[in-house]
PDB file of all heavy atoms in Angstrom:
ATOM      1  N   HIS A 141      63.697   2.292 -29.718  1.00  0.00           N
ATOM      2  CA  HIS A 141      62.950   1.036 -29.772  1.00  0.00           C
ATOM      3  C   HIS A 141      63.907  -0.088 -29.385  1.00  0.00           C
ATOM      4  O   HIS A 141      64.942  -0.269 -30.020  1.00  0.00           O
ATOM      5  CB  HIS A 141      62.375   0.807 -31.173  1.00  0.00           C
ATOM      6  CG  HIS A 141      61.464  -0.374 -31.258  1.00  0.00           C
ATOM      7  ND1 HIS A 141      60.294  -0.464 -30.526  1.00  0.00           N
ATOM      8  CD2 HIS A 141      61.552  -1.536 -31.957  1.00  0.00           C
ATOM      9  CE1 HIS A 141      59.696  -1.622 -30.796  1.00  0.00           C
ATOM     10  NE2 HIS A 141      60.441  -2.295 -31.651  1.00  0.00           N
ATOM     11  N   ILE A 142      63.554  -0.805 -28.325  1.00  0.00           N
ATOM     12  CA  ILE A 142      64.429  -1.869 -27.829  1.00  0.00           C
ATOM     13  C   ILE A 142      63.961  -3.212 -28.370  1.00  0.00           C
ATOM     14  O   ILE A 142      62.775  -3.558 -28.286  1.00  0.00           O
ATOM     15  CB  ILE A 142      64.435  -1.872 -26.290  1.00  0.00           C
ATOM     16  CG1 ILE A 142      65.050  -0.562 -25.791  1.00  0.00           C
ATOM     17  CG2 ILE A 142      65.196  -3.079 -25.746  1.00  0.00           C
ATOM     18  CD1 ILE A 142      65.037  -0.397 -24.299  1.00  0.00           C
ATOM     19  N   LEU A 143      64.909  -3.952 -28.938  1.00  0.00           N
ATOM     20  CA  LEU A 143      64.603  -5.303 -29.411  1.00  0.00           C
ATOM     21  C   LEU A 143      65.256  -6.291 -28.452  1.00  0.00           C
ATOM     22  O   LEU A 143      66.485  -6.279 -28.284  1.00  0.00           O
ATOM     23  CB  LEU A 143      65.146  -5.499 -30.833  1.00  0.00           C
ATOM     24  CG  LEU A 143      64.450  -4.583 -31.837  1.00  0.00           C
ATOM     25  CD1 LEU A 143      65.369  -3.446 -32.249  1.00  0.00           C
ATOM     26  CD2 LEU A 143      64.002  -5.354 -33.060  1.00  0.00           C
ATOM     27  N   LEU A 144      64.441  -7.086 -27.803  1.00  0.00           N
ATOM     28  CA  LEU A 144      64.959  -8.124 -26.905  1.00  0.00           C
ATOM     29  C   LEU A 144      65.211  -9.352 -27.758  1.00  0.00           C
ATOM     30  O   LEU A 144      64.274 -10.046 -28.174  1.00  0.00           O
ATOM     31  CB  LEU A 144      63.957  -8.404 -25.784  1.00  0.00           C
ATOM     32  CG  LEU A 144      63.654  -7.199 -24.881  1.00  0.00           C
ATOM     33  CD1 LEU A 144      62.584  -7.554 -23.861  1.00  0.00           C
ATOM     34  CD2 LEU A 144      64.923  -6.705 -24.179  1.00  0.00           C
ATOM     35  N   THR A 145      66.481  -9.572 -28.056  1.00  0.00           N
ATOM     36  CA  THR A 145      66.881 -10.524 -29.098  1.00  0.00           C
ATOM     37  C   THR A 145      66.961 -11.966 -28.606  1.00  0.00           C
ATOM     38  O   THR A 145      66.911 -12.226 -27.409  1.00  0.00           O
ATOM     39  CB  THR A 145      68.262 -10.130 -29.646  1.00  0.00           C
ATOM     40  OG1 THR A 145      69.199 -10.212 -28.568  1.00  0.00           O
ATOM     41  CG2 THR A 145      68.276  -8.738 -30.236  1.00  0.00           C
ATOM     42  N   LYS A 146      67.121 -12.844 -29.573  1.00  0.00           N
ATOM     43  CA  LYS A 146      67.296 -14.283 -29.319  1.00  0.00           C
ATOM     44  C   LYS A 146      66.141 -14.839 -28.485  1.00  0.00           C
ATOM     45  O   LYS A 146      66.334 -15.687 -27.614  1.00  0.00           O
ATOM     46  CB  LYS A 146      68.652 -14.556 -28.652  1.00  0.00           C
ATOM     47  CG  LYS A 146      69.818 -13.872 -29.382  1.00  0.00           C
ATOM     48  CD  LYS A 146      71.174 -14.257 -28.837  1.00  0.00           C
ATOM     49  CE  LYS A 146      72.257 -13.308 -29.362  1.00  0.00           C
ATOM     50  NZ  LYS A 146      73.601 -13.640 -28.907  1.00  0.00           N
ATOM     51  N   ALA A 147      64.948 -14.284 -28.725  1.00  0.00           N
ATOM     52  CA  ALA A 147      63.770 -14.685 -27.954  1.00  0.00           C
ATOM     53  C   ALA A 147      63.505 -16.180 -28.105  1.00  0.00           C
ATOM     54  O   ALA A 147      62.851 -16.782 -27.241  1.00  0.00           O
ATOM     55  CB  ALA A 147      62.558 -13.874 -28.400  1.00  0.00           C
ATOM     56  N   ASP A 148      64.021 -16.782 -29.177  1.00  0.00           N
ATOM     57  CA  ASP A 148      63.845 -18.231 -29.361  1.00  0.00           C
ATOM     58  C   ASP A 148      64.544 -19.036 -28.279  1.00  0.00           C
ATOM     59  O   ASP A 148      64.253 -20.208 -28.077  1.00  0.00           O
ATOM     60  CB  ASP A 148      64.382 -18.639 -30.748  1.00  0.00           C
ATOM     61  CG  ASP A 148      65.825 -18.227 -30.942  1.00  0.00           C
ATOM     62  OD1 ASP A 148      66.079 -17.057 -31.328  1.00  0.00           O
ATOM     63  OD2 ASP A 148      66.716 -19.041 -30.690  1.00  0.00           O
ATOM     64  N   LYS A 149      65.466 -18.387 -27.552  1.00  0.00           N
ATOM     65  CA  LYS A 149      66.178 -19.100 -26.491  1.00  0.00           C
ATOM     66  C   LYS A 149      65.385 -19.140 -25.192  1.00  0.00           C
ATOM     67  O   LYS A 149      65.789 -19.796 -24.235  1.00  0.00           O
ATOM     68  CB  LYS A 149      67.535 -18.458 -26.228  1.00  0.00           C
ATOM     69  CG  LYS A 149      68.484 -18.579 -27.413  1.00  0.00           C
ATOM     70  CD  LYS A 149      69.916 -18.609 -26.964  1.00  0.00           C
ATOM     71  CE  LYS A 149      70.858 -18.660 -28.147  1.00  0.00           C
ATOM     72  NZ  LYS A 149      72.057 -19.435 -27.852  1.00  0.00           N
ATOM     73  N   LEU A 150      64.287 -18.402 -25.154  1.00  0.00           N
ATOM     74  CA  LEU A 150      63.432 -18.398 -23.963  1.00  0.00           C
ATOM     75  C   LEU A 150      62.123 -19.100 -24.286  1.00  0.00           C
ATOM     76  O   LEU A 150      61.664 -19.061 -25.426  1.00  0.00           O
ATOM     77  CB  LEU A 150      63.121 -16.957 -23.540  1.00  0.00           C
ATOM     78  CG  LEU A 150      64.279 -16.092 -23.051  1.00  0.00           C
ATOM     79  CD1 LEU A 150      63.794 -14.668 -22.790  1.00  0.00           C
ATOM     80  CD2 LEU A 150      64.878 -16.680 -21.777  1.00  0.00           C
ATOM     81  N   SER A 151      61.514 -19.701 -23.275  1.00  0.00           N
ATOM     82  CA  SER A 151      60.167 -20.235 -23.474  1.00  0.00           C
ATOM     83  C   SER A 151      59.236 -19.042 -23.692  1.00  0.00           C
ATOM     84  O   SER A 151      59.591 -17.897 -23.384  1.00  0.00           O
ATOM     85  CB  SER A 151      59.724 -21.015 -22.242  1.00  0.00           C
ATOM     86  OG  SER A 151      59.523 -20.118 -21.162  1.00  0.00           O
ATOM     87  N   ARG A 152      58.045 -19.312 -24.204  1.00  0.00           N
ATOM     88  CA  ARG A 152      57.097 -18.227 -24.442  1.00  0.00           C
ATOM     89  C   ARG A 152      56.831 -17.427 -23.168  1.00  0.00           C
ATOM     90  O   ARG A 152      56.846 -16.206 -23.148  1.00  0.00           O
ATOM     91  CB  ARG A 152      55.801 -18.820 -24.994  1.00  0.00           C
ATOM     92  CG  ARG A 152      54.875 -17.794 -25.582  1.00  0.00           C
ATOM     93  CD  ARG A 152      53.662 -18.479 -26.191  1.00  0.00           C
ATOM     94  NE  ARG A 152      52.443 -17.718 -25.896  1.00  0.00           N
ATOM     95  CZ  ARG A 152      52.151 -16.558 -26.458  1.00  0.00           C
ATOM     96  NH1 ARG A 152      52.942 -16.028 -27.357  1.00  0.00           N
ATOM     97  NH2 ARG A 152      51.038 -15.919 -26.132  1.00  0.00           N
ATOM     98  N   GLY A 153      56.613 -18.178 -22.081  1.00  0.00           N
ATOM     99  CA  GLY A 153      56.318 -17.539 -20.800  1.00  0.00           C
ATOM    100  C   GLY A 153      57.482 -16.698 -20.303  1.00  0.00           C
ATOM    101  O   GLY A 153      57.302 -15.566 -19.849  1.00  0.00           O
ATOM    102  N   ALA A 154      58.677 -17.238 -20.409  1.00  0.00           N
ATOM    103  CA  ALA A 154      59.861 -16.513 -19.935  1.00  0.00           C
ATOM    104  C   ALA A 154      60.103 -15.271 -20.798  1.00  0.00           C
ATOM    105  O   ALA A 154      60.509 -14.216 -20.290  1.00  0.00           O
ATOM    106  CB  ALA A 154      61.082 -17.421 -19.962  1.00  0.00           C
ATOM    107  N   GLY A 155      59.830 -15.383 -22.097  1.00  0.00           N
ATOM    108  CA  GLY A 155      59.972 -14.235 -22.990  1.00  0.00           C
ATOM    109  C   GLY A 155      59.017 -13.122 -22.588  1.00  0.00           C
ATOM    110  O   GLY A 155      59.416 -11.959 -22.482  1.00  0.00           O
ATOM    111  N   LEU A 156      57.776 -13.493 -22.363  1.00  0.00           N
ATOM    112  CA  LEU A 156      56.784 -12.478 -21.988  1.00  0.00           C
ATOM    113  C   LEU A 156      57.125 -11.845 -20.637  1.00  0.00           C
ATOM    114  O   LEU A 156      56.923 -10.646 -20.439  1.00  0.00           O
ATOM    115  CB  LEU A 156      55.377 -13.096 -21.959  1.00  0.00           C
ATOM    116  CG  LEU A 156      54.838 -13.475 -23.350  1.00  0.00           C
ATOM    117  CD1 LEU A 156      53.514 -14.224 -23.249  1.00  0.00           C
ATOM    118  CD2 LEU A 156      54.678 -12.232 -24.238  1.00  0.00           C
ATOM    119  N   ALA A 157      57.655 -12.662 -19.729  1.00  0.00           N
ATOM    120  CA  ALA A 157      58.051 -12.132 -18.417  1.00  0.00           C
ATOM    121  C   ALA A 157      59.201 -11.135 -18.578  1.00  0.00           C
ATOM    122  O   ALA A 157      59.214 -10.072 -17.945  1.00  0.00           O
ATOM    123  CB  ALA A 157      58.456 -13.278 -17.490  1.00  0.00           C
ATOM    124  N   ALA A 158      60.165 -11.473 -19.456  1.00  0.00           N
ATOM    125  CA  ALA A 158      61.296 -10.555 -19.695  1.00  0.00           C
ATOM    126  C   ALA A 158      60.791  -9.253 -20.297  1.00  0.00           C
ATOM    127  O   ALA A 158      61.210  -8.156 -19.904  1.00  0.00           O
ATOM    128  CB  ALA A 158      62.310 -11.217 -20.621  1.00  0.00           C
TER     129      ALA A 158
END
Side-chain angles (χ1 to χ4, degrees):
H141 187 61
I142 296 176
L143 295 106
L144 299 176
T145 62
K146 311 187 194 182
D148 56 276
K149 295 209 183 214
L150 294 175
S151 69
R152 194 176 139 72
L156 291 174

